[in-house]
Amino acid sequence: MNRRMIGLCSIILFLVAIFVSTGKTLFAADKVNVKKNSHHMPKAKIAEEIEENNIVIQPIDEEDSQESGDVAVDEFDVQQKQKDVQRLVERGVEFCVNNSMPVICNTLTHTKTFIEGELYLFLLDTKGMIYAHGDREDLIWKNMWDYRDSFGALAVQSMIKTATPTGAWLTYEWTGAVKVAFVQKIKIDNKDYILGCGFYPHSKKYAVIGLVKGAVGLFNQDVKAGYPVGDTFGAMGYSRSERFVFGDLYLYALDFDGIIRAQGEEPGLIGTNALDRKDAKGKMVNREIIDKLKQKN
C-alpha cells in the first residue's frame, strides 16, 4: 500500500531529464510560466511562448538515450526486493514486541525508522482498521474492510485472511498497479494485528518510459490544441491524477534553472529549487542531467 517513489530516494523522480529515456523524444523546459489568460491561445502566441520559455522537443539518438536512461533507472531485482521486504517486516515485528501501541503507531507513521527507499510498514487490525502507515498518514484510523481494488477484489480482507504468524505473500492492486506484499499476523496487547510491507514487482525502466512518453504526448497535444504550455505541468503536478501515477511512480519537471514546475508526489515543492538536491548516493543528479541537456542545446 504505497505511492512512495524509487530512485532519487527510491523514489523514481521524473524530471525533464528522464524524458531522454524514451529513446525517441527529449522534452525540456526552462522558465515556464503559467498564464492566467483564456484557455485557448492563437498558434502564433503558442509558438512565441514556447520560444520565450525555451521549451524544446527534439529527437535524440539511441546511444544518448541509453546513457541518460542508465543514470535515471536501474534494473529491478525482484528476489532481492522480496528479501528486503521480509527483513523490514522482521525488524517491525521485533519492534512491536518490545514497545507499546502508541510508540509503535507513532514510529511506523511519523518517523523514518522503518522506511527503506520505497519500502515502509503498515499496521491494521483484523477488522480492517488502519493503525499505522509509513506512506499515507491520511489512512490512519480509517476502516478499509470493504476496500475493493480496481479488479473488484477485497484487498484488505485478503491481507487479513492470508496473514499468518510466520508471514505470507499476496498480490493485489494499489494505485493503478499490481503490488506484492508480505503480511504477518502479530499480537500487541493480546490483540491480533496484521503487519505488512509491499512492493511493485515491475520493471521500473519500462514503466518510466511509458509514463514519460505519455507526458510528452500530452504536451504535444496541448500545444497543438492551443492551450498554455503551463497547463501540462499542472496535470503532472496534480498528486491525485491517475494519468501520471503508476504504482510508486510519478512525474516531475524542472526548468534549466532547477526550479520545480511540476511534482506529482509533493505539489508543495513546486516553485522551489532542486538543482543541488542529492540522491541517496550523494549525487546531484538534477544538476548533472540539466548540464547534459544544455550541452545538447
Side-chain angles (χ1 to χ4, degrees), residues 73 80 96 107-108:
V73 184
Q80 182 59 50
C96 291
T107 303
L108 267 58

Side-chain angles (χ1 to χ4, degrees), residues 15-241:
L15 161 138
V16 180
I18 296 182
F19 292 5
V20 177
S21 67
T22 62
K24 299 294 182 183
T25 306
L26 168 63
F27 173 71
D30 186 33
K31 300 180 181 177
V32 177
N33 299 306
V34 178
K35 303 295 178 70
K36 294 185 178 180
N37 53 4
S38 62
H39 211 50
H40 289 276
M41 300 170 62
K43 291 190 184 326
K45 182 63 176 177
I46 293 285
E48 179 182 342
E49 185 176 358
I50 290 175
E51 182 176 359
E52 287 177 355
N53 292 313
N54 190 27
I55 296 175
V56 181
I57 300 180
Q58 64 184 49
I60 58 176
D61 57 51
E62 295 292 336
E63 183 178 351
D64 288 341
S65 68
Q66 181 62 44
E67 178 184 354
S68 299
D70 290 342
V71 172
V73 184
D74 294 323
E75 286 301 321
F76 191 65
D77 187 336
V78 174
Q79 292 184 336
Q80 182 59 50
K81 188 63 67 176
Q82 288 178 320
K83 293 178 182 178
D84 294 341
V85 166
Q86 287 182 284
R87 278 196 292 265
L88 188 58
V89 172
E90 289 173 4
R91 282 183 52 214
V93 171
E94 183 179 359
F95 183 81
C96 291
V97 168
N98 295 304
N99 289 277
S100 66
M101 192 62 169
V103 172
I104 293 169
C105 292
N106 180 71
T107 303
L108 267 58
T109 303
H110 301 295
T111 76
K112 296 183 179 180
T113 305
F114 292 99
I115 292 179
E116 297 180 0
E118 81 279 17
L119 302 181
Y120 62 88
L121 295 177
F122 57 87
L123 181 72
L124 61 149
D125 65 17
T126 54
K127 295 182 179 180
M129 181 69 72
I130 307 297
Y131 282 77
H133 200 288
D135 185 61
R136 295 274 304 275
E137 291 184 25
D138 60 305
L139 295 180
I140 305 304
W141 304 121
K142 287 189 177 181
N143 191 304
M144 299 188 67
W145 176 264
D146 293 323
Y147 168 76
R148 290 181 182 273
D149 62 23
S150 61
F151 302 116
L154 293 164
V156 173
Q157 291 186 34
S158 295
M159 289 182 187
I160 295 169
K161 294 176 182 178
T162 301
T164 69
T166 57
W169 292 95
L170 84 155
T171 301
Y172 59 101
E173 180 274 333
W174 188 257
T175 325
V178 174
K179 191 169 188 179
V180 177
F182 185 75
V183 290
Q184 187 165 340
K185 183 179 289 188
I186 63 174
K187 281 191 178 293
I188 302 175
D189 298 331
N190 294 317
K191 179 181 176 180
D192 287 334
Y193 291 88
I194 310 301
L195 183 69
C197 177
F199 70 98
Y200 296 94
H202 310 292
S203 166
K204 304 300 180 181
K205 176 179 180 180
Y206 298 110
V208 168
I209 291 173
L211 283 175
V212 170
K213 282 186 174 180
V216 173
L218 176 64
F219 179 84
N220 290 331
Q221 175 182 305
D222 282 0
V223 169
K224 185 177 180 180
Y227 294 112
V229 294
D231 286 8
T232 303
F233 295 123
M236 294 180 199
Y238 180 51
S239 60
R240 297 301 180 190
S241 171

